[in-house]
Amino acid sequence: MRVLSVNVGRPREVSWRGKTVTTAIFKEPVDGPVRIRALNLDGDRQADLRVHGGWDKAVYAYPSEFYELWRSERPELDFPWGQFGENLTTAGLLDGDVSVGDRFRVGTAELVVTQPRLPCFKLGIKMGRDEFVTEFLERGLLGFYFAVVEEGEVEVGDPIVAVSRDPRGFKVTEVARLYARDRGDVEGLRRAVELDVLPESWRSYFRKRLARRVTLDA
């Protein structure tokens, strides 16, 4: 497992449906070591801190293997590294391979997996296709977020080394599945709300879903 690209970007204004929108999804690969800090990488920022960034979304990783799928399925679109707004383009670390709470050494930083990425309309802006947001979610090729346990530096070619695996084994793909498809999975929802590493916003959402489900089944 290794880092293929390190990508950063600052907020910029773009036109969308006759309006001006501020977004930081336009990230570009950079050379040399980049410092990973508690809330983001040096040279990187988020535009709307209500839904992006923060401690539990400090670093976004996207598997290069997913790029291969997108390039074959959507050859009319361009897919350079960083196209999905990720900070780290990775090799050998897929969504289905990681659980919430897994810790990895990336360069000299230690990171912990917190949640899958959910797309917003700005991904459609980046792709020039509003419908891509729905396609992205339906395909489930989402990537995932890290929180920063220990700050450090990362650069292209650095290995990604597993430090520890969360014993509960609740995959980030399971979080996405409960959100997007299997809304009536009571057992899955119960496991999710008990997962203390999962951000409270997710756990609160799943608690409400679970309460409704239990009421319906009563």
Side-chain angles (χ1 to χ4, degrees):
M1 300 182 292
R2 62 192 177 96
V3 176
L4 292 188
S5 184
V6 180
N7 316 294
V8 300
R10 296 182 182 274
R12 68 170 72 171
E13 292 185 345
V14 297
S15 295
W16 179 73
R17 294 186 176 180
K19 299 185 295 184
T20 298
V21 175
T22 303
T23 177
I25 199 171
F26 291 87
K27 301 192 187 298
E28 300 290 339
V30 292
D31 295 324
V34 178
R35 188 76 179 175
I36 297 178
R37 302 191 185 275
L39 296 180
N40 45 42
L41 281 68
D42 279 357
D44 192 62
R45 293 293 183 273
Q46 294 83 29
D48 186 351
L49 295 178
R50 296 172 302 170
V51 292
H52 299 294
W55 178 85
D56 53 21
K57 293 182 180 178
V59 180
Y60 175 41
Y62 199 76
S64 60
E65 292 85 353
F66 292 173
Y67 272 89
E68 296 174 12
L69 295 173
W70 287 119
R71 286 166 178 160
S72 65
E73 293 179 6
R74 298 297 297 271
E76 76 280 11
L77 299 179
D78 293 327
F79 291 101
W81 298 145
Q83 181 68 7
F84 294 93
E86 77 272 14
N87 300 114
L88 303 177
T89 313
T90 64
L93 192 64
L94 304 180
D95 292 17
D97 298 333
V98 297
S99 299
V100 174
D102 285 354
R103 295 191 178 203
F104 294 90
R105 179 70 60 180
V106 183
T108 61
E110 184 176 329
L111 310 178
V112 58
V113 177
T114 58
Q115 60 193 293
R117 184 260 188 94
L118 294 182
C120 73
F121 73 97
K122 293 177 181 179
L123 179 61
I125 294 175
K126 181 70 181 291
M127 294 296 178
R129 304 280 197 284
D130 287 348
E131 72 276 7
F132 193 88
V133 177
T134 301
E135 183 177 354
F136 185 81
L137 184 59
E138 289 178 346
R139 291 288 283 108
L141 306 176
L142 303 177
F144 49 91
Y145 285 105
F146 286 114
V148 179
V149 178
E150 180 182 333
E151 295 186 0
E153 292 187 339
V154 63
E155 63 181 312
V156 174
D158 277 347
I160 301 172
V161 180
V163 174
S164 65
R165 297 285 192 168
D166 192 281
R168 291 161 291 193
F170 200 89
K171 303 293 187 184
V172 293
T173 49
E174 286 294 283
V175 179
R177 177 183 65 82
L178 290 172
Y179 175 82
R181 297 188 301 280
D182 298 329
R183 295 172 173 266
D185 182 354
V186 172
E187 181 57 33
L189 290 170
R190 284 177 175 152
R191 290 184 64 206
V193 300
E194 294 172 356
L195 194 62
D196 55 354
V197 185
L198 190 66
E200 180 56 31
S201 58
W202 276 101
R203 296 169 71 196
S204 176
Y205 172 74
F206 286 140
R207 277 192 207 101
K208 293 175 183 177
R209 285 258 308 277
L210 180 60
R212 287 197 297 268
R213 188 72 253 176
V214 170
T215 299
L216 289 172
D217 292 344

